[in-house]
Amino acid sequence: MNSTLFLQSDVSDPYSIYKTMLEKNPVYWDETNKIWAIYSYDACVSILKNTKAEIPTINPSNEQKLNKYSLDILTNLTRLSNGVQHEISKEIAMLLFSNMKSVQINQITSQLTEDNLVENKIDWVNSVCKKLPVLVVLKSFGFEGNDCDFILNKIESFVKIMLPNKTEEQVKSINKISEEIFTIVEKQFLSLNLLNKISNSDSLSIHEIKTIYISNLIGLFIQSFDAGRGILSNSLLQILSNKTFSNKIEIQKSVIETLRFDPPIHNTRRIASEDFLIGESLIKKNDSILVVLASANRDPEKFENAVDFDIERINNNDNLTFGIGGHMCLAKHFSIHLATEALWFLFEKYKTINLLENNIQHEPMINARLPKNIWISIQ
């Protein structure tokens, strides 16, 4: 039996593992790692909608010794909160999205491509995917050039704040960056005049509300860097493989199907706050739970011919990559739009795009399957 926890860099085909587990152990207790692994679509939905399955705390009692700014950011992120705190921070995150200004994604994509193109070759991941989503968010909120440059240069180190286990060196780097990034975002946030727009704020001070706003705006940068680059990377690979690039609608359908077929985020975690049942399995209070979204997305009980990449399947949009229920990711439509615009620009401008290597290596992460590099030639 393969471990339920593995680095994506160590496994060439995680979907073969998921297929086996779907068939034999769709709700599985991993005794070695002391964690429930949930593989079927229905069981994953049941966990994601269950109020007794909460987001686990990343840094209990600040055992990782984060400084004040790092701790404020991590503590106030919508995606990591539960209960009333989640409802308040979710409202704030939605207000942030509603105040994003439209920017020219094509222009940013064009500039990044031209700046990094050498002899008609480019590393799509490092030249575009790691930069474009973050830049779009920054420009959508009117950040100045120098501030954009600082955040863009530091974001790869700073996203380590989301790791449940951090090295001393990572904590040192995060703490060093956090004060400056918090200060930059605070300055820009004050120009947005959003403090008085939250309705559910009776129990919070102005300072607390401001901190939640700033933390979740920074959270958008973090999410854009990880999930955003994964959507752009994986969608390009699937579009090239399946030749689904004839028009923008086909590109958009391909992005949505990629989110089902080959998503950037493969799993998320919960912890049981009380005992509850999933089918015949008793999940006990304080049990850890691994919700394997990428497995659920290929469950043949939900998706017909689930192992086939099919942009015309009528329920592709039912994939669980962005979650479901109260913790569904608010960036779903933003992410699909961004990837569609960027990839359509690429295939419309360059008539010949070829993948230069087939053996794609992935980052050493458990929860996300992110290509390290994708070298392509474009003409």
Side-chain angles (χ1 to χ4, degrees):
M1 177 66 68
N2 288 297
S3 172
T4 60
L5 303 178
F6 52 83
L7 295 176
Q8 294 292 335
S9 54
D10 294 342
V11 177
S12 60
D13 181 18
Y15 298 102
S16 63
I17 299 173
Y18 305 154
K19 183 175 183 292
T20 299
M21 298 306 288
L22 269 170
E23 293 171 351
K24 297 182 177 180
N25 297 287
V27 177
Y28 175 70
W29 172 250
D30 180 346
E31 179 63 28
T32 302
N33 294 297
K34 305 295 181 185
I35 193 169
W36 287 97
I38 314 298
Y39 293 93
S40 71
Y41 187 93
D42 286 346
C44 284
V45 168
S46 180
I47 293 289
L48 293 172
K49 288 187 173 181
N50 195 328
T51 57
K52 297 175 184 177
E54 296 188 343
I55 304 292
T57 303
I58 284 183
N59 181 34
S61 304
N62 196 21
E63 59 189 25
Q64 296 171 354
K65 298 181 180 177
L66 297 175
N67 66 11
K68 176 186 181 301
Y69 295 95
S70 302
L71 199 57
D72 276 347
I73 294 165
L74 193 62
T75 305
N76 287 289
L77 290 177
T78 302
R79 60 198 284 197
L80 299 181
S81 58
N82 296 291
V84 174
Q85 182 190 357
H86 175 69
E87 294 304 315
I88 294 171
S89 56
K90 183 178 179 180
E91 181 183 353
I92 284 175
M94 292 174 69
L95 280 167
L96 285 171
F97 269 108
S98 68
N99 279 272
M100 293 178 72
K101 307 299 183 186
S102 178
V103 298
Q104 293 297 316
I105 295 171
N106 290 356
Q107 289 182 7
I108 303 173
T109 307
S110 178
Q111 192 64 56
L112 289 173
T113 305
E114 291 173 8
D115 288 349
N116 293 278
L117 193 61
V118 179
E119 297 180 351
N120 295 324
K121 298 176 183 178
I122 189 171
D123 177 1
W124 178 248
V125 174
N126 287 288
S127 299
V128 178
C129 302
K130 287 185 177 182
K131 299 175 181 178
L132 177 64
V134 183
L135 268 175
V136 169
V137 174
L138 286 165
K139 291 181 179 294
S140 295
F141 287 103
F143 282 83
E144 297 177 357
N146 290 340
D147 292 337
C148 289
D149 291 342
F150 175 84
I151 292 171
L152 204 60
N153 289 332
K154 300 296 184 181
I155 192 65
E156 187 160 10
S157 297
F158 190 70
V159 295
K160 304 294 192 298
I161 195 173
M162 302 302 296
L163 294 175
N165 300 304
K166 306 175 184 66
T167 66
E168 286 186 18
E169 193 61 33
Q170 286 170 337
V171 171
K172 183 179 178 181
S173 174
I174 291 163
N175 284 339
K176 186 177 180 181
I177 298 167
S178 63
E179 181 175 359
E180 190 158 0
I181 197 171
F182 192 96
T183 302
I184 288 171
V185 175
E186 181 178 29
K187 176 188 69 175
Q188 189 61 25
F189 164 73
L190 292 174
S191 71
L192 299 175
N193 297 316
L194 295 177
L195 273 176
N196 297 321
K197 292 189 177 182
I198 177 173
S199 60
N200 191 7
S201 61
D202 294 342
S203 60
L204 298 176
S205 68
I206 292 295
H207 174 75
E208 288 171 322
I209 294 171
K210 184 178 74 172
T211 301
I212 297 173
Y213 267 118
I214 294 167
S215 300
N216 280 283
L217 186 44
I218 294 171
L220 284 180
F221 306 154
I222 294 170
Q223 226 168 345
S224 297
F225 181 80
D226 276 343
R229 69 164 156 140
I231 294 170
L232 283 165
S233 299
N234 295 3
S235 295
L236 177 66
L237 291 175
Q238 294 304 325
I239 289 168
L240 287 173
S241 176
N242 294 280
K243 303 188 186 320
T244 52
F245 48 75
S246 62
N247 55 60
K248 187 185 284 191
I249 292 175
E250 194 169 72
I251 293 283
Q252 183 183 57
K253 289 181 177 180
S254 299
V255 171
I256 293 170
E257 170 63 337
T258 299
L259 288 166
R260 183 201 70 84
F261 183 81
D262 188 23
I265 305 302
H266 272 224
N267 56 69
T268 187
R269 300 200 187 205
R270 296 292 188 268
I271 189 166
S273 60
E274 299 179 34
D275 292 0
F276 61 88
L277 288 169
I278 292 293
E280 297 180 355
S281 299
L282 175 62
I283 313 290
K284 296 181 180 179
K285 182 178 180 179
N286 295 325
D287 279 354
S288 295
I289 306 165
L290 186 77
V291 188
V292 190
L293 307 170
S295 172
N297 287 346
R298 291 204 183 189
D299 188 339
E301 295 294 320
K302 176 65 179 181
F303 300 99
E304 186 177 357
N305 300 319
V307 297
D308 297 335
F309 186 89
D310 179 6
I311 65 173
E312 301 299 341
R313 190 185 288 102
I314 61 173
N315 65 339
N316 285 338
N317 212 28
D318 291 342
N319 69 77
L320 297 182
T321 299
F322 289 97
I324 197 170
H327 274 92
M328 187 177 75
C329 178
L330 300 175
K332 177 177 181 177
H333 299 296
F334 167 77
S335 300
I336 292 171
H337 172 70
L338 186 149
T340 300
E341 291 296 320
L343 289 164
W344 173 236
F345 164 81
L346 185 72
F347 283 100
E348 187 181 38
K349 180 172 182 178
Y350 301 100
K351 301 308 176 186
T352 304
I353 303 172
N354 292 311
L355 185 65
L356 296 178
E357 56 180 326
N358 292 317
N359 185 24
I360 302 296
Q361 302 297 310
H362 293 85
E363 299 287 358
M365 303 171 73
I366 290 176
N367 72 311
R369 191 164 179 83
L370 305 176
K372 284 186 174 180
N373 308 92
I374 299 176
W375 281 98
I376 57 174
S377 64
I378 54 179
Q379 295 181 14

